[in-house]
């Protein structure tokens, strides 16, 4: 399992929809990049110059919305994860 450092968060991206509302099946290159996912690991947080740590607002298991082209895609075993900075996360889905 991956362990994020600092203010990084690891997210398992949700799959893009296979078909449109009208039932048209989309080709892989026509699908939009997903912008939601589930947090699987959270780093310690951002460390200020004073030594104080600001912890991320998300926790493991949260479903989040993140910037469309944020993060780095990483494979671990048979799964693909996205490593994001915590400030690339826009919202928590409730």
């Amino acid at each position: 399992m991956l362990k994020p450092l600092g203010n990084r968060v690891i997210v398992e991206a949700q799959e893009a929809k296979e078909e449109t509302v009208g039932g048209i099946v989309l080709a892989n290159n026509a699908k939009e990049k997903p912008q939601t996912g589930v947090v699987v690991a959270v780093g310690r947080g951002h460390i200020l110059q004073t030594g104080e740590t600001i912890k991320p607002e998300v926790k493991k298991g949260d479903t989040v919305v993140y910037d469309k082209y944020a993060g780095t895609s990483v494979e671990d075993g048979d799964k693909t994860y996205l490593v994001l900075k915590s400030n690339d996360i826009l919202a928590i889905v409730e």
Side-chain angles (χ1 to χ4, degrees):
M1 183 60 189
L2 299 169
K3 180 179 177 184
L5 301 176
N7 68 336
R8 303 266 191 305
V9 176
I10 298 178
V11 173
E12 185 174 356
Q14 294 178 342
E15 293 295 319
K17 292 182 179 179
E18 294 281 329
E19 57 184 60
T20 64
V21 177
I24 299 170
V25 178
L26 298 174
N28 282 338
N29 60 353
K31 295 178 193 171
E32 287 210 17
K33 185 173 178 182
Q35 288 180 262
T36 60
V38 177
V39 176
V40 294
V42 179
R44 289 183 16 187
H46 182 71
I47 300 173
L48 301 175
Q49 289 181 346
T50 61
E52 181 184 353
T53 301
I54 299 174
K55 295 185 179 191
E57 295 182 57
V58 296
K59 62 186 180 310
K60 185 176 178 179
D62 283 348
T63 300
V64 296
V65 177
Y66 50 87
D67 281 335
K68 191 168 195 166
Y69 297 104
T72 301
S73 182
V74 177
E75 289 186 21
D76 184 33
D78 61 342
K79 293 199 174 194
T80 302
Y81 299 99
L82 194 62
V83 180
L84 302 166
K85 290 184 179 178
S86 60
N87 59 344
D88 288 333
I89 295 174
L90 305 174
I92 297 172
V93 179
E94 295 184 339

